[in-house]
Amino acid sequence: MRVKVLGSAAGGGFPQWNCGCSNCNRIRAGVLKGRVRTQAQVAISAAHGKWLLLNASPDLRQQILENPEFAPAEETRSTPIVGIILTSADVDCVMGLLHLREFQPLVIYATAGVRRVLTEENSLFRTLMRAIPPVRWESLEIGKPVGVHQDSAAGTGAGLHCTAVSVGGAFPDYVSDALRRNLPEQEAVIGLEFCADGKRFFYAPNLPGRGEEWKRHASESNLALLDATFWTDDELVRVRGSGKTAREMGHLPLSGANGLLDQFKDVKNVRRVLIHMNNTNPALDEESPANRELRDAGWEIATDGMEMDV
Ligand SMILES: [Zn+2]
């Protein structure tokens, strides 16, 4: 499996257009040792020239154009992107689907709940159905491996399997109460476990951290790419002066008791990489104590363009 990070920041990117926090101000002024980042986007390939997108970020058009492996073959209207796998219906995970609407037949894998949110209440996404054949939705059931075949010949997939792992979490605020009541909450936010050639990759850019199931999958993988939105639980409250904590927003903070670092302090054999870092996260500053603490604990921080083989 080849895993490519096309974007590594949380919603808003880094810097965020309307944010004047210390990080955003300093990177605009060119005095922060760190990198600008687009919004979280990952692509995975287990077959030559075939890619699956993990979510579809608001920056997707730019991210596709900046990476030559996603260019169409010469003189064709085509794409090496064969499908998209969604981890939630959050705006940051699905907005990029609208960048893919140019009459391109694609497969979208999502839980039934996420599919219903997008197709029943958000008619804008029906624009994807204009392709011939139209975009095909495939259901991901919690705990059930699905062959996400990357070979165009039916039944001769590259052996890439994806399992939806429940991570706890809720459907986005924009979902109506009427629909929300009819959706199983375990389908709201999932992690993805990929298996190919006996190797495992676990992806969870939104990790509320409830339950133990996700942790087992992350700990048993060869590569875990995990939610690094916030360093502390009250990070956004401090910057904005009010609002929700990291945990209330569905993100396990990195630091503190029972934070991500604490929970993984005994896990050594997994390559652990952090993604989806919010622009307020002090670890974006490569000279900060937070950044040092992450590196000392054996974590890597994803950057736009980073590639990993599993
Ligand atoms: Zn900021």
Side-chain angles (χ1 to χ4, degrees), residues 165 193 200 202 211-221 264 270:
V165 177
E193 184 187 70
R200 290 196 216 177
F202 183 69
E212 289 292 315
E213 187 69 9
W214 68 272
K215 199 172 159 185
R216 184 175 65 76
H217 285 273
S219 311
E220 292 175 356
S221 64
F264 275 76
V270 181

Side-chain angles (χ1 to χ4, degrees), residues 50-62:
K50 304 280 183 189
W51 290 88
L52 285 156
L53 299 178
L54 311 188
N55 291 324
S57 95
D59 294 322
L60 188 57
R61 178 179 178 278
Q62 172 194 350

Side-chain angles (χ1 to χ4, degrees), residues 1 5 31 44-45 48 82 89 91 104 106 118 131 155-156 189-190 214 223 228 230 236 264 278 286 306 310:
M1 276 179 276
V5 176
V31 295
I44 181 172
S45 178
H48 182 71
V82 295
V91 172
Q104 185 64 48
L106 291 165
L118 298 183
T156 57
V189 186
I190 56 172
W214 68 272
L223 169 66
F230 297 113
L236 217 48
F264 275 76
N278 196 57
E286 292 169 13
M306 183 178 191
V310 187

